[in-house]
Amino acid sequence: MAADDFAAKLAAEWHEVLIIGAGFGGLRMLHECREIGLDALVLEAGSDLGGTWYWNRYPGARTDTESWAYCFYFSKALNDGFAFKERFATQQQSLDYLNHAADVLALRRDLRFGQRVASAHYDDAQNLWTVITTTGARHACRYLVSASGLLSVTYKPPFRNVDAFQGETYITGHWPKTPVNFAGKRVAVIGTGASAVQAIPIIAHEAAQLTVFQRTPNYVMPARNYVITDAEQRELRAGFDAMVAQCHRQIFAFPMEDSTLAVKDVSPEEQQRVLERGWEAGGFRFLFETFYDLLIDRESNEVAAEFVRRKIRTIVRDPVTAERLCPKYPLLAKRPPLGHFYFETFNRPNVTLVDVGDDPIEEITATGVKTGSREFGDFDIIVYATGFDASTGALMHVDVRGRAGQSLADTWNREVQTQLGICMNGFPNLFMISGPQAPFANIPMVIDRAANWIGGALRHLKATGQDCIEARPEACRAWTDYVQMLLDATLLSEGSKLHSWFLGANIPGKKSAPLFYFGGAPRYFGEIDREAQAGYPGFELSSSRVIGEVA
Ligand code: N01
């Protein structure tokens, strides 16, 4: 029976490709499918497109990648037709860009909103996936692409009595569409990760009082945001191709040049001068345009780490608060946030920092927060900026079943294994964009290369009359070991003691494992290209069709 006939029998709507999520990844993949001539539909839980930029509307939310390089790289025309307003795009500007792309590429007709995927089951006999959403809508497809985001499942710590609080409660990753009014309110923010670091300075300006609960301090580097002038806009447009090439060769796929200097190559005075220049340049330039060995050499790392601590001690007036804000672990062992006057905010008289590192929050009360030894009350609002069940979280919250009904959640609870961070053994024709063991880097660039690679694989299947691709178990084992080895060569491996979400260590009970490839984006791009050029040796390709079948 042809696949679409079988889908009709299941009372399911048939598409060759189903894509989960209408953020950057889903939109990019839909465009890829259209280029190949494949019929594709995007299922999106939200009421509109945007993904991360739809859900994360908290005050201060904006990109940490320079706006002009946070885009769809396959089209200069898309960037030419859009006015990037600031160096780091606000949440609304990011959403505007995605809407602009969706309009220009006419993507909306294949986006289905309000459709949260509840289950996705592979049918061995028919070689197709059936996908059911929480509204009960049934779909079937040959190829399933998860573009559900590496940071889309919010995490709220299981404090006792979270519902006891009688004021307003918000979570940064699921912020309401209507603005929250902080004016005159006593506000608690729990968490000091990238989301909190962006939100805290803005909330502090509005609130009567702001209390920040910090478990682990962060190395926050100044973003040094600015408004893009017309003249700079013209320069950026003229430099589009060079920018794309630069992102392809930079270790984290950012629009900057990697330093070729090691800390020990230069005198202590020169080290400080180089670091000062990076600090002034702003954003992640402090990490990548200063010295290349910060991520791999402990002593080099300590020079840069101490530089940041000195900055914190200079900026923050109260020495006790300054010391609390100083991280004592290696720089980059956790994902460092970019700040917009973050440390300066702690000089305000209405802002208090509470260190809960050694005195954990245990309970939420009717009016506030209780740690092991102290009680903080009289809050009107609690903001949870407590992060995400990252990377594996999104698919593990869906009932995904592969060959012979094997559960993805059970499989990943035993061990996360992938081939190239894109496919898995036991789950044929399931692809992941920004999946576990893919690089953590400038996300739209990782998305672009993954969508392009998946498109190449689908083209290859079509051209060779095949319709089934599955990662070989030995390839998955080898990739997993390789990802672990790459991680162990960096100081990022220390993140397991620091609740790093890079390793899943922020979620109690989640097995700590390398969730990202840290061998450098250019190396990864080369590796996935070579796999395709070699004819996909790490995959088994086959045909489920019988002669005469059309689907
Ligand atoms: O989440 P996080 P996030 N008691 O996990 C604390 C991306 N992003 O949403 O550090 C007390 O970093 C936790 O403490 P600790 C970016 O990649 C991008 O801020 O685990 N505190 C931490 O301080 C980023 O890295 C952008 O000790 C608890 C905070 O909650 C990623 O999203 C902007 C606790 C969680 O921080 C995640 O950032 C924003 C507990 N029981 C985010 N549990 C841009 O690029 C957790 N915490 C623009």
Side-chain angles (χ1 to χ4, degrees):
M1 187 186 298
D4 46 357
D5 289 342
F6 188 77
K9 226 175 114 189
L10 293 173
E13 183 180 326
W14 170 256
H15 293 275
E16 283 169 294
V17 185
L18 280 176
I19 301 166
I20 308 174
F24 248 104
L27 299 181
R28 175 66 185 84
M29 191 65 222
L30 175 58
H31 172 73
E32 188 73 22
C33 289
R34 296 240 187 111
E35 293 285 288
I36 307 170
L38 285 170
D39 148 56
L41 180 75
V42 177
L43 298 173
E44 165 58 50
S47 66
D48 207 339
L49 60 79
T52 287
W53 303 105
Y54 172 90
W55 298 104
N56 286 266
R57 297 163 186 269
Y58 61 84
R62 58 170 80 233
T63 62
D64 279 352
T65 300
E66 274 117 346
S67 57
W68 56 88
Y70 198 82
C71 64
F72 291 113
Y73 305 89
F74 61 83
S75 169
K76 178 174 179 341
L78 274 179
N79 274 26
D80 283 352
F82 187 77
F84 293 99
K85 292 196 170 73
E86 295 176 60
R87 178 179 180 182
F88 298 102
T90 60
Q91 173 265 336
Q92 186 58 53
Q93 288 162 15
S94 300
L95 214 46
D96 290 347
Y97 174 80
L98 288 172
N99 275 292
H100 158 72
D103 290 345
V104 172
L105 301 170
L107 297 178
R108 279 187 178 273
R109 66 173 188 265
D110 292 321
L111 307 180
R112 204 73 61 82
F113 298 121
Q115 297 296 323
R116 180 175 292 283
V117 172
S119 69
H121 293 183
Y122 179 70
D123 184 314
D124 294 76
Q126 299 294 328
N127 182 34
L128 53 75
W129 285 88
T130 53
V131 173
I132 302 178
T133 70
T134 49
T135 64
R138 299 169 71 87
H139 299 264
C141 64
R142 180 73 77 207
Y143 305 106
L144 179 61
V145 182
S146 169
S148 45
L150 64 104
L151 294 157
S152 53
V153 178
T154 54
Y155 169 66
K156 204 166 159 185
F159 303 130
R160 282 198 308 273
N161 296 330
V162 276
D163 295 329
F165 185 61
Q166 294 191 341
E168 299 162 50
T169 297
Y170 301 98
I171 184 155
T172 47
H174 207 143
W175 201 261
K177 284 185 183 165
T178 43
V180 175
N181 180 13
F182 292 102
K185 306 272 176 65
R186 294 154 304 179
V187 182
V189 171
I190 302 178
T192 52
S195 304
V197 163
Q198 291 182 334
I200 284 166
I202 312 257
I203 297 175
H205 273 280
E206 279 187 46
Q209 268 185 313
L210 170 62
T211 306
V212 176
F213 291 87
Q214 170 190 275
R215 187 167 67 176
T216 313
N218 267 310
Y219 291 96
V220 181
M221 286 151 305
R224 306 221 185 281
N225 188 37
Y226 53 77
V227 169
I228 295 173
T229 61
D230 290 348
E232 187 174 5
Q233 190 87 247
R234 282 193 293 277
E235 266 178 41
L236 290 169
R237 285 177 182 163
F240 179 83
D241 293 335
M243 176 278 288
V244 176
Q246 195 175 41
C247 289
H248 274 111
R249 63 175 183 265
Q250 203 276 331
I251 186 162
F252 277 76
F254 289 122
M256 52 190 80
E257 287 302 316
D258 285 317
S259 170
T260 54
L261 208 59
V263 171
K264 284 163 205 150
D265 286 345
V266 297
S267 67
E269 295 73 31
E270 183 64 4
Q271 289 168 2
Q272 296 306 305
R273 199 187 66 76
V274 171
L275 290 169
E276 194 67 54
R277 190 182 63 214
W279 186 261
E280 286 304 316
F284 293 130
R285 287 167 198 273
F286 177 76
L287 300 173
F288 303 117
E289 291 192 341
T290 53
F291 298 105
Y292 74 80
D293 59 344
L294 301 183
L295 198 53
I296 48 175
D297 185 300
R298 184 173 293 277
E299 286 176 22
S300 299
N301 187 291
E302 179 53 24
V303 171
E306 187 53 25
F307 177 93
V308 180
R309 288 182 211 117
R310 265 203 304 280
K311 288 290 183 192
I312 298 170
R313 291 176 189 129
T314 309
I315 296 167
V316 180
R317 286 199 196 97
D318 173 40
V320 176
T321 304
E323 218 40 48
R324 280 187 193 138
L325 288 165
C326 282
K328 306 292 171 1
Y329 54 85
L331 173 67
L332 276 162
K334 280 169 86 80
R335 195 280 208 184
L338 295 191
H340 302 258
F341 302 100
Y342 175 69
F343 292 124
E344 290 82 348
T345 300
F346 293 92
N347 289 331
R348 294 176 62 94
N350 67 332
V351 177
T352 309
L353 179 69
V354 176
D355 185 349
V356 293
D358 295 323
D359 184 19
I361 299 174
E362 290 185 348
E363 190 174 342
I364 301 299
T365 65
T367 55
V369 172
K370 211 168 158 187
T371 69
S373 70
R374 292 170 292 172
E375 192 161 346
F376 302 86
D378 292 335
F379 295 127
D380 302 305
I381 297 178
I382 297 180
V383 174
Y384 289 88
T386 41
F388 299 88
D389 184 354
S391 178
T392 49
L395 273 185
M396 285 178 84
H397 278 77
V398 174
D399 173 24
V400 179
R401 287 171 194 270
R403 270 199 200 288
Q406 81 170 284
S407 144
L408 179 75
D410 290 350
T411 307
W412 278 356
N413 274 329
R414 284 192 298 278
E415 187 184 13
V416 178
Q417 280 192 29
T418 76
Q419 163 63 334
L420 309 175
I422 299 177
C423 290
M424 287 163 287
N425 177 253
F427 298 84
N429 291 350
L430 171 59
F431 300 92
M432 298 176 292
I433 291 185
S434 280
Q437 303 181 342
F440 181 72
N442 179 14
I443 303 295
M445 176 57 83
V446 177
I447 285 170
D448 186 71
R449 295 305 302 265
N452 183 265
W453 190 93
I454 296 166
L458 296 179
R459 276 192 175 90
H460 180 80
L461 289 172
K462 206 173 173 185
T464 54
Q466 302 179 92
D467 62 359
C468 188
I469 179 167
E470 181 177 357
R472 294 181 189 278
E474 63 277 16
C476 294
R477 176 77 267 154
W479 185 257
T480 302
D481 292 345
Y482 175 57
V483 166
Q484 178 75 56
M485 184 201 75
L486 292 170
L487 175 80
D488 290 344
T490 72
L491 295 165
L492 286 158
S493 54
E494 307 212 355
S496 57
K497 293 173 275 178
L498 296 161
H499 316 284
S500 168
W501 62 262
F502 282 163
L503 307 173
N506 61 326
I507 306 294
K510 187 167 172 171
K511 213 175 191 175
S512 187
L515 296 178
F516 296 94
Y517 168 105
F518 283 111
R523 181 171 169 156
Y524 175 81
F525 298 152
E527 277 160 349
I528 60 172
D529 284 349
R530 277 193 295 283
E531 175 73 19
Q533 282 150 15
Y536 306 94
F539 295 83
E540 187 162 341
L541 275 54
S542 59
S543 172
S544 64
R545 290 190 197 148
V546 283
I547 293 165
E549 189 183 324
V550 193

